[in-house]
């Protein structure tokens, strides 16, 4: 670093600021330092940096499914945001399995990671609470933990589901089903909240929610969406619209409807949740709820780094947990309107 500073004609502190990506460096100075870094083939010694600062500049992201388009997008955005703040990201997948979620928590404590962004699905609240008493800073995606345990990044699932159901009502649909209501095999809190929003919208419109029009699923997948739609189509009352708790479920529902010789949206309108890329190119394109995924990722990374820095600088001062709610919007496409 002294060699780089000498070549660029700056202090070692300025070189350090450039290497760490700090913004308080004049553009011309930054360019001069970058040129010196390139010419001298400088590489930061991460091990030495960790020993000196106590920070590895590595965070860990734990998600249930990397093959889920939603979590794949979130993972990409988290890694992109972390890179802008000079952090690297380790990604762990749990498959939504409680034992694996538990193992990840126990394994990470004391390891070379500064903090954890965690999206639990199956762990009991008491187990998560126990893990949060450790020294490792944690930010949670989703509603699996009660407010007040740690920083949480959540979207308003109830209001979002209410909005999309109201949209289906507004286009004249009366027999509105839901695919993806919670079951023993699907412990996600978000599913229960989306069911609440669906029921609220029907009740407000004077429509009676029917258990026969609500189909449980084991996982948010295309196959489960197709199976659930098949079940609805052979029932006593055929729906004229269906709200799916995820876009993947909606993809399966669209296939089932086509196999039964019906048309979307003429016979049955379909709406999803998540705004995955697949829904923008499906036939018909999919009406959905679009969570602000960029804001979700940015809020998660920045909240965690805030906690990491706060823990380092103010070890004896507690900071109240924060609940951050990124916005969402209803995106109307061909699956509900022509």
């Amino acid at each position: 670093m002294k060699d780089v500073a000498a070549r660029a004609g700056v202090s070692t502190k300025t070189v350090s600021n450039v290497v760490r990506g700090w913004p308080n460096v004049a553009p011309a100075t930054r360019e001069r330092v970058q040129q010196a870094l390139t010419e001298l083939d400088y590489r930061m010694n991460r091990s030495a940096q960790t020993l000196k600062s106590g920070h590895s500049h590595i965070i860990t992201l734990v998600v249930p499914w990397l093959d889920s388009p939603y979590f794949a997008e979130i993972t990409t955005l988290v890694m992109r945001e972390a890179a802008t703040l000079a952090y690297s990201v380790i990604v762990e997948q749990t498959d939504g399995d409680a034992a694996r979620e538990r193992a990840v928590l126990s394994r990470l404590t004391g390891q070379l990671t500064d903090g954890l962004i965690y999206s639990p699905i199956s762990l009991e609240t008491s187990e998560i609470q126990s893990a949060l008493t450790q020294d490792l800073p944690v930010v949670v995606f989703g509603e699996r933990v009660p407010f007040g345990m740690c920083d949480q990044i959540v979207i308003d699932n109830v209001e979002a589901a209410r909005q999309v159901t109201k949209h289906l009502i507004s286009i004249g649909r009366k027999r509105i089903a839901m695919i993806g209501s919670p079951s023993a095999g699907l412990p996600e809190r978000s599913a229960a909240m989306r069911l609440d929003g669906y029921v609220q919208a029907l009740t407000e419109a004077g429509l009676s929610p029917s258990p026969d029009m609500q189909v449980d699923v084991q996982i948010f997948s295309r196959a489960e969406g197709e199976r659930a739609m098949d079940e609805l189509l052979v029932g006593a009352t055929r729906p004229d619209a269906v709200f799916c708790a995820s876009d993947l479920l909606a993809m399966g529902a669209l296939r089932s409807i086509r196999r039964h010789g019906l048309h979307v949206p003429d016979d049955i309108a379909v709406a999803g949740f998540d705004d995955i890329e697949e829904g923008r190119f499906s036939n018909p394109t999919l009406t959905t709820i679009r969570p602000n995924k960029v804001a979700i990722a940015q809020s998660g990374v920045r909240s965690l780094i805030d906690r990491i820095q706060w823990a380092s600088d103010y070890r004896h001062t507690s900071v109240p947990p924060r609940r951050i709610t990124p916005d969402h919007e209803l995106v109307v496409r061909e699956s509900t309107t022509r």
Side-chain angles (χ1 to χ4, degrees), residues 5-322:
R7 177 166 294 203
V10 298
S11 68
T12 55
K13 177 63 174 175
T14 298
V15 176
S16 176
N17 288 344
V18 171
V19 169
R20 288 167 174 77
W22 289 11
N24 56 335
V25 179
T29 303
R30 183 183 299 277
E31 183 177 351
R32 199 161 68 248
V33 172
Q34 289 287 8
Q35 182 177 349
L37 290 168
T38 301
E39 291 172 354
L40 294 175
D41 195 25
Y42 175 85
R43 297 289 185 272
M44 181 183 289
N45 187 322
R46 289 292 184 184
S47 298
Q49 181 196 23
T50 299
L51 288 171
K52 181 177 180 180
S53 68
H55 295 307
S56 64
H57 280 257
I58 296 172
I59 61 176
T60 299
L61 172 66
V62 181
V63 295
W65 306 285
L66 277 170
D67 58 357
S68 159
Y70 174 81
F71 284 109
E73 288 182 44
I74 290 293
T75 298
T76 297
L77 292 168
V78 164
M79 296 179 75
R80 189 172 296 160
E81 179 64 18
T84 67
L85 299 170
Y87 273 78
S88 299
V89 181
I90 296 171
V91 181
E92 294 267 3
Q93 175 178 283
T94 64
D95 289 327
D97 177 71
R100 292 183 66 178
E101 291 182 351
R102 193 178 301 115
V104 166
L105 282 178
S106 61
R107 185 170 69 251
L108 288 179
T109 303
Q111 285 200 355
L112 192 66
T113 185
D114 289 342
L116 174 66
I117 300 176
Y118 190 40
S119 184
I121 296 293
S122 300
L123 275 190
E124 297 297 330
T125 300
S126 59
E127 294 182 281
I128 301 172
Q129 187 171 16
S130 175
L132 296 180
T133 62
Q134 308 299 320
D135 292 333
L136 190 68
V138 178
V139 172
V140 169
F141 282 160
E143 304 85 354
R144 192 63 181 167
V145 301
F147 175 63
M149 289 174 59
C150 63
D151 285 355
Q152 285 179 278
I153 317 298
V154 297
I155 63 170
D156 191 341
N157 278 288
V158 175
E159 179 57 25
R162 180 172 167 272
Q163 285 178 0
V164 71
T165 307
K166 285 180 66 176
H167 166 67
L168 294 171
I169 295 168
S170 73
I171 61 173
R173 306 306 165 112
K174 304 292 185 183
R175 303 183 307 279
I176 303 172
M178 178 179 175
I179 292 175
S181 53
S183 66
L186 184 72
E188 285 188 278
R189 177 67 179 145
S190 60
M193 299 181 81
R194 292 170 195 180
L195 175 62
D196 287 346
Y198 158 82
V199 170
Q200 282 183 24
L202 293 180
T203 304
E204 290 167 3
L207 301 173
S208 298
S210 169
D212 294 337
M213 299 286 273
Q214 301 165 25
V215 185
D216 297 349
V217 298
Q218 296 298 307
I219 190 173
F220 286 171
S221 70
R222 301 171 186 83
E224 279 288 270
E226 183 176 19
R227 178 198 61 77
M229 194 72 236
D230 285 345
E231 185 176 323
L232 286 168
L233 292 177
V234 298
T237 304
R238 193 183 81 189
D240 59 10
V242 58
F243 162 49
C244 299
S246 81
D247 284 357
L248 285 182
L249 292 171
M251 292 298 109
L254 289 174
R255 173 174 167 76
S256 169
I257 292 168
R258 285 194 297 269
R259 284 196 299 100
H260 283 82
L262 300 171
H263 297 90
V264 177
D266 300 335
D267 299 312
I268 303 175
V270 178
F273 202 114
D274 288 338
D275 190 35
I276 63 174
E277 187 176 17
E278 186 176 346
R280 300 167 215 162
F281 295 93
S282 60
N283 186 18
T285 55
L286 183 65
T287 291
T288 188
I289 290 292
R290 175 187 290 160
N292 189 336
K293 295 172 210 167
V294 171
I296 291 170
Q298 288 180 343
S299 298
V301 171
R302 293 177 185 180
S303 294
L304 181 60
I305 292 175
D306 281 350
R307 288 287 170 185
I308 292 166
Q309 293 176 342
W310 195 275
S312 175
D313 297 339
Y314 306 98
R315 291 185 182 276
H316 303 295
T317 304
S318 62
V319 183
R322 297 166 292 186

